[in-house]
Amino acid sequence: MEQRYYQKEIETMPVEELKKLQSEKLVKQVKHVWDNVPYYRALMEEKGVTPDDIHGIEDLYKLPFLSKADLRDAYPYGLLGAPLKDCVRIQSTSGTTGRRVVAFYTQHDVDLWEDCCARAIVAAGGSEEDVLHVAYGYGLFTGGSGLHGGSHKVGCLTLPLSSGNTDRQLQFMTDLGSTILCCTPSYAAYLAETIHERGLRDQIKLKAGIFGAEAWSQKMREDIQNNLGIKAYDIYGLTEISGPGVAFECEAQTGMHVNEDHFIAEIIDPDTEEVLPEYNKEKEFEERNLQAEMCVGPDQHLDFRQVCTPQVRGYDFCPTSKVLHEIMEEEVKNMLAAGVDYIQLLDQNHGGGSYFCYSKSHGHPPVPGSWQVDAVNGILEKVHQDKKIFGCESAAAEPFIK
């Protein structure tokens, strides 16, 4: 697999060197904020923390959080950390859920942001030979500006189409030979549909797409890739910490790379605000002896499945497993508490081809049978607290429709 980097020395930096760099930057940044942002200094004082308490990333947990409410209360200049004369641009959130959050950028900020976006473009196969088609919105929204600047850094020919006006999008896409498309996944899906309706597929030269700003599923990714003949890459960002380019996917498409020289990702308990350890699935698999809960074949050996191309190794819980029932119940509870409004419990990739378990030790007949449907129904009854929020793909759900 080809490895592509815009700033290889940084993007491949050994972990210990990266931690050292993060610590140096954190100490410097905390001192800068203490000296220049009275709003945040007050939060630090309230928590009894000063810059002298921060020696590296191991002390990050001592710093107070900034909430969405803080960002709105400090509007517009309360969190500005540089003189206004040094600021060259603002971007803003939509304000659909309350007062807008405004982000100010110095030229140095813009340069760093564009570097992050350039890394995403190169990871998706972009180079100075490419025509990068930006169909994200411009203006206050960060999407268009971020990928536009990143494209310039890479040296692509940049087409600043912005969003909408599909006729114009397709005209420039065909006439100028766009090779990389940057937009929301839903708009990419719409463009793909329109291209097929108009018989333009043979005139499209796209090879990759960088899609973000909204949630999308693996199924949607596969549809876009198949319909446009491209590889579709995810990108993540938010106005509060620059915009797109906080994290992005590479050729492997197995998760996003955080630009860790600029951003530090943590897992926080929302109730206690404590930093939780990184999740280690291999460790949990071993410590909880989950292998004993998995489906086995007729020979009583673990039944390995490769569900989708990016998945390296995967097994399936036996539907009678008490551990599976507990995990499902707990995870659905957590998702509901987090405000998730739609959960797909049964996916086509799994449910459409039911996995059999022939175990002689799980307490069910060691052959496929109706016990499987009964066991899955038992899970559904436990987690189905509000039928309005649950969904599934029809073929996967067929055995469980009452």
Side-chain angles (χ1 to χ4, degrees):
M1 183 178 296
E2 184 182 358
Q3 295 179 318
R4 302 177 289 229
Y5 304 102
Y6 174 67
Q7 295 171 312
K8 185 173 182 179
E9 184 177 345
I10 296 174
E11 295 178 69
T12 62
M13 185 178 291
V15 173
E16 290 307 314
E17 288 184 30
L18 176 61
K19 289 181 177 179
K20 181 181 178 183
L21 176 63
Q22 289 175 328
S23 291
E24 291 172 354
K25 286 189 168 186
L26 179 65
V27 170
K28 183 178 179 180
Q29 183 72 355
V30 170
K31 180 66 166 62
H32 176 82
V33 170
W34 176 271
D35 292 338
N36 295 280
V37 186
Y39 188 100
Y40 194 75
R41 181 168 66 242
L43 293 179
M44 290 179 64
E45 290 173 338
E46 185 179 332
K47 199 170 181 181
V49 182
T50 72
D52 293 336
D53 298 311
I54 308 302
H55 305 287
I57 56 174
E58 68 277 5
D59 297 316
L60 184 59
Y61 74 95
K62 298 176 182 178
L63 294 170
F65 288 103
L66 275 177
S67 68
K68 195 80 169 182
D70 287 314
L71 297 176
R72 288 172 175 156
D73 290 345
Y75 174 92
Y77 295 123
L79 290 172
L80 193 58
L84 200 59
K85 66 179 179 64
D86 293 340
C87 298
V88 297
R89 185 195 299 181
I90 70 157
Q91 306 284 163
S92 171
T93 61
S94 63
T96 53
T97 59
R99 178 181 286 173
R100 290 178 181 272
V101 172
V102 176
F104 293 82
Y105 299 75
T106 64
Q107 187 57 53
H108 180 61
D109 295 329
V110 172
D111 290 338
L112 295 182
W113 178 22
E114 292 178 350
D115 282 345
C116 290
C117 289
R119 295 177 192 178
I121 292 168
V122 172
S127 73
E128 66 275 3
E129 302 294 330
D130 283 290
V131 179
L132 191 126
H133 187 119
V134 184
Y136 283 113
Y138 278 71
L140 291 173
F141 177 58
T142 58
S145 299
L147 272 302
H148 182 108
S151 178
H152 282 199
K153 286 284 184 98
V154 176
C156 305
L157 173 61
T158 309
L159 307 187
L161 272 291
S162 192
S163 56
N165 198 334
T166 299
D167 289 340
R168 184 177 63 187
Q169 302 280 355
L170 298 182
Q171 177 191 345
F172 278 90
M173 190 176 293
T174 53
D175 291 351
L176 297 179
S178 305
T179 56
I180 300 176
L181 173 63
C182 301
C183 63
T184 62
S186 58
Y187 193 51
Y190 178 72
L191 286 172
E193 181 181 332
T194 307
I195 287 167
H196 280 268
E197 288 176 352
R198 299 185 185 183
L200 298 174
R201 183 67 185 83
D202 293 340
Q203 299 179 46
I204 299 300
K205 298 180 181 179
L206 291 174
K207 66 178 184 181
I210 301 174
F211 307 130
E214 62 187 27
W216 52 314
S217 65
Q218 179 64 22
K219 176 67 165 56
M220 190 174 186
R221 182 211 294 266
E222 292 168 358
D223 287 344
I224 292 172
Q225 291 185 149
N226 292 334
N227 292 335
L228 288 177
I230 65 173
K231 290 201 73 169
Y233 298 90
D234 203 355
I235 189 170
Y236 171 77
L238 60 165
T239 305
E240 291 82 352
I241 49 175
S242 76
V246 172
F248 60 90
E249 279 189 312
C250 69
E251 178 75 9
Q253 294 178 300
T254 53
M256 287 194 274
H257 300 269
V258 177
N259 279 312
E260 292 182 279
D261 55 323
H262 300 305
F263 310 102
I264 300 174
E266 294 181 301
I267 304 172
I268 306 295
D269 186 312
D271 296 320
T272 65
E273 296 189 350
E274 292 180 331
V275 181
L276 301 178
E278 291 186 20
Y279 175 60
N280 186 321
K281 62 183 179 181
E282 289 82 7
K283 184 178 180 181
E284 181 182 21
F285 196 83
E286 182 178 332
E287 289 183 350
R288 298 183 68 176
N289 192 27
L290 295 183
Q291 180 169 327
E293 307 290 331
M294 300 297 156
C295 292
V296 297
D299 58 2
Q300 302 302 296
H301 291 144
L302 204 58
D303 192 12
F304 163 67
R305 299 275 179 171
Q306 182 163 344
V307 179
C308 53
T309 304
Q311 181 173 320
V312 178
R313 197 168 182 78
Y315 305 101
D316 297 286
F317 271 108
C318 174
T320 65
S321 167
K322 291 183 179 179
V323 176
L324 171 61
H325 288 231
E326 292 170 0
I327 289 175
M328 288 290 292
E329 196 169 9
E330 181 65 22
E331 291 306 314
V332 168
K333 179 182 176 182
N334 290 338
M335 285 188 279
L336 293 178
V340 171
D341 57 9
Y342 179 88
I343 302 171
Q344 182 168 307
L345 287 176
L346 299 170
D347 182 73
Q348 180 68 49
N349 288 338
H350 294 74
S354 180
Y355 298 150
F356 299 137
C357 183
Y358 297 83
S359 174
K360 297 177 181 179
S361 60
H362 287 175
H364 59 69
V367 291
S370 61
W371 62 267
Q372 292 174 279
V373 175
D374 293 338
V376 174
N377 273 326
I379 296 173
L380 294 176
E381 288 170 3
K382 277 189 175 182
V383 303
H384 209 182
Q385 300 176 33
D386 181 349
K387 62 183 179 182
K388 293 181 181 179
I389 68 165
F390 292 96
C392 54
E393 296 193 18
S394 58
E398 191 171 340
F400 310 105
I401 297 175
K402 296 182 180 179

